[in-house]
Amino acid sequence: MKPTDEQTAAADAFHAGDHLALQAGAGTGKTTTLALLAHATTRRGRYLAYNRAIAQDARARFPHTVQCKTAHALAYAAVGHHYTRRLNAPRRPAWQTGQALGVTKAIRIGDREVSRRALSNALLNTVTRFCHSADPDITRHHVPHMRGLENTDLHTELAAHLLPFARKAWADLQHPDDGAVRFDHDHYLKIWALTQPRVDTDFLLLDEAQDTNPAVEQIFLHQRDHAQLVMVGDSAQAIYQWRGAKDVMTGFDGTQLTLSQSFRFGPDLAAEANRWLHLADAPIRLTGTPTVPTELGPVTSPDAVLCRTNVGAMAQVMALMAAGYRVALAGGGDSLRTLAQAAGDLKKGRRTHHPELILFPSWGDLQDYAAHDPAGRDLQPLVNLVDAHGTDAILAAVAHLTTEPQAQVTVSTAHKAKGREWPRVLIADDFARPDNASDSTSPQAQPEPIDDAEARLAYVAVTRTRQRLDLGGLSWVHDHPHSAHG
């Protein structure tokens, strides 16, 4: 295939030796472009993939002069192999690990009792968040916020209690042979990152750069003095901030170029994508391929239904099964099952160990929190679903899920749909319309601006289709004054 003008410009900048950030919109062939650059040089390179499956796929597309690996694979070769005995250790409950580190009793913070189990979960989560950061030490901002303890003073109190245990856990993880904390892959990656490693290569290609966590970003940028750095990704698809990911592209010191021609869909869908790119204040706009006739309009039998939340996905699974469809859930039903089981425990008057619901002593307490506390508003759909159908019906639906090849329709959250595509897509109705978006009773009533993160998630959702898109739960955007784009 003849390269586009944008791909040619990227190749020219690469050959000139520039550090390069390539903003590549949905369906614009970013990995193809990176392979094009790699094939046109005899220099040795490394391709850093987001996960093992992408690395494997890339090996077939890149020349043998380019090693395709994940950051974890590089870290394992450097230091991780010393910890093999600990990596294969049996799983153990968090409370046992907490107990071994000295978490032996519950504490009271505000009007909530925080159990040993909740404290143990939080301390292990603190270590994970530290591992994803570029920070040299564990500090208060690595301590996760807990449901019911969102207030700053309460969180400070929690952090003061947990930090000594989290630091003790990190010290425990330095021993290669044995320890109390279960050793995992993010631990050796962080240990390696802290050594400020040098990756021996002429150029380094970073894919999916918008989802890079700060620990990997730090390793990548540290190679700048001896290797040419090329990052590719789509800032508008940066949807994992809640997991510690960071869009490293927009502030990158290097030549900034774009790939805007999408080969996945036609001009009508590109215009819809651009509406969301405008709302997200993204540094790119897309052009569709005229020979790909993508339509917008009602879809009666979708291949995929994309939802905003896990609870929205749960509701869609139940509705589609009730209508007689064979349904698959992207990523499987485990997270829905554990959430429904946790709700069931609370309804039976038992406390639950689910990290989202662990601080609630009863179902009534959770109902009250979801209805009246602004921090709990996102749990209201779960409460409504459980109150309407009961947990047994939800668990029965999860048990009847089928695999994707056998399914008539796949339900997915927008997060899980990232990187995927289907012929016919329907957007579910749980995408949040901004407050007062439909309040047109007075000419002065101005809708709230649309949150950047929500606009990016909507952009990911609307660009998953090849043939026909039903905007469904996002169609309100056409009436929103901020969505006009030129």
Side-chain angles (χ1 to χ4, degrees):
M1 212 169 75
K2 185 177 180 291
T4 64
D5 291 347
E6 291 174 324
Q7 288 172 324
T8 304
D12 291 345
F14 179 68
H15 293 311
D18 297 3
H19 294 303
L20 183 58
L22 198 53
Q23 286 282 356
T28 57
K30 57 188 175 61
T31 312
T32 305
T33 306
L34 286 181
L36 184 84
L37 305 186
H39 277 287
T41 181
T42 55
R43 293 181 299 151
R44 291 174 312 116
R46 302 264 190 152
Y47 167 89
L48 269 190
Y50 185 63
N51 60 37
R52 194 188 301 177
I54 293 171
Q56 226 161 351
D57 178 54
R59 281 183 201 117
R61 302 170 70 172
F62 282 82
H64 64 86
T65 48
V66 175
Q67 284 192 356
C68 302
K69 291 189 172 173
T70 62
H72 284 93
L74 293 181
Y76 184 81
V79 301
H81 64 277
H82 296 305
Y83 295 86
T84 312
R85 282 179 61 175
R86 288 194 66 173
L87 266 172
N88 299 324
R91 290 190 177 277
R92 61 192 305 195
W95 66 265
Q96 277 187 7
T97 304
Q99 189 171 43
L101 293 167
V103 179
T104 53
K105 57 180 187 292
I107 59 167
R108 193 152 197 85
I109 297 181
D111 60 358
R112 298 226 178 255
E113 178 175 291
V114 188
S115 66
R116 287 167 44 199
R117 195 177 292 260
L119 291 169
S120 301
N121 286 342
L123 97 81
L124 293 176
N125 202 350
T126 300
V127 174
T128 300
R129 286 162 59 100
F130 163 65
C131 289
H132 292 164
S133 77
D135 304 323
D137 303 296
I138 298 179
T139 62
R140 194 176 85 189
H141 77 268
H142 298 122
V143 176
H145 286 264
M146 289 180 77
R147 290 272 189 199
L149 297 178
E150 288 88 357
N151 171 291
T152 307
D153 291 342
L154 299 179
H155 183 259
T156 302
E157 203 179 323
L158 175 71
H161 182 78
L162 282 179
L163 279 175
F165 296 113
R167 289 172 182 145
K168 194 172 173 183
W170 182 243
D172 173 276
L173 288 163
Q174 307 311 301
H175 303 295
D177 293 323
D178 196 22
V181 185
R182 188 168 195 267
F183 195 93
D184 76 27
H185 300 280
D186 283 343
H187 296 143
Y188 65 71
L189 179 68
K190 182 63 176 176
I191 290 168
W192 184 55
L194 288 170
T195 68
Q196 299 188 317
R198 177 191 163 101
V199 179
D200 186 26
T201 189
D202 298 326
F203 62 89
L204 193 57
L205 309 173
L206 177 66
D207 205 352
E208 298 287 359
Q210 79 284 345
D211 287 331
T212 304
N213 72 39
V216 175
E217 177 201 11
Q218 188 182 41
I219 295 164
F220 178 76
L221 295 178
H222 190 67
Q223 314 310 313
R224 188 182 187 97
D225 291 342
H226 70 274
Q228 181 184 9
L229 303 184
V230 179
M231 55 169 66
V232 65
D234 185 353
S235 290
Q237 291 192 52
I239 57 174
Y240 285 111
Q241 285 89 335
W242 52 278
R243 216 163 69 180
K246 180 181 164 199
D247 173 23
V248 303
M249 299 195 66
T250 39
F252 180 63
D253 180 13
T255 301
Q256 299 266 350
L257 293 174
T258 56
L259 296 179
S260 62
Q261 162 87 50
S262 180
F263 303 103
R264 182 180 299 156
F265 43 73
D268 289 352
L269 194 78
E272 195 56 47
N274 287 340
R275 189 186 296 279
W276 293 103
L277 289 168
H278 165 75
L279 289 167
D281 199 20
I284 192 171
R285 299 292 180 271
L286 295 181
T287 327
T289 299
T291 52
V292 181
T294 317
E295 302 170 334
L296 278 89
V299 172
T300 45
S301 54
D303 299 291
V305 179
L306 304 186
C307 308
R308 171 68 186 79
T309 62
N310 277 323
V311 176
M314 198 187 280
Q316 285 293 330
V317 164
M318 294 183 73
L320 287 160
M321 281 184 179
Y325 287 94
R326 287 193 311 279
V327 185
L329 183 68
D334 286 352
S335 59
L336 296 193
R337 186 183 301 107
T338 55
L339 199 54
Q341 285 167 339
D345 285 342
L346 288 177
K347 288 206 81 169
K348 289 172 184 148
R350 296 197 295 260
R351 292 197 78 134
T352 174
H353 305 312
H354 193 287
E356 280 286 288
L357 309 180
I358 197 165
L359 291 188
F360 300 99
S362 69
W363 183 249
D365 194 49
L366 177 63
Q367 285 172 316
D368 190 52
Y369 172 80
H372 303 299
D373 191 318
R377 195 185 299 167
D378 63 317
L379 288 175
Q380 190 64 60
L382 171 69
V383 169
N384 294 345
L385 194 70
V386 170
D387 285 344
H389 298 282
T391 53
D392 288 348
I394 295 168
L395 290 168
V398 172
H400 283 98
L401 286 166
T402 184
T403 59
E404 288 195 45
Q406 270 72 53
Q408 292 163 290
V409 58
T410 297
V411 174
S412 177
T413 61
H415 282 98
K416 291 240 170 67
K418 195 163 171 294
R420 302 192 56 187
E421 54 184 66
W422 291 271
R424 297 181 307 282
V425 173
L426 166 67
I427 307 291
D429 56 10
D430 66 332
F431 279 83
R433 177 189 285 261
D435 291 343
N436 70 1
S438 59
D439 183 5
S440 54
T441 49
S442 106
Q444 284 80 36
Q446 273 300 307
E448 292 287 309
I450 295 168
D451 177 68
D452 279 7
E454 291 298 322
R456 288 195 296 272
L457 197 61
Y459 162 68
V460 169
V462 301
T463 53
R464 299 305 97 203
T465 190
R466 293 193 300 271
Q467 291 174 14
R468 191 173 174 90
L469 173 71
D470 187 335
L471 267 175
L474 287 170
S475 47
W476 53 262
V477 74
H478 288 205
D479 304 322
H480 198 286
H482 296 137
S483 80
H485 65 281

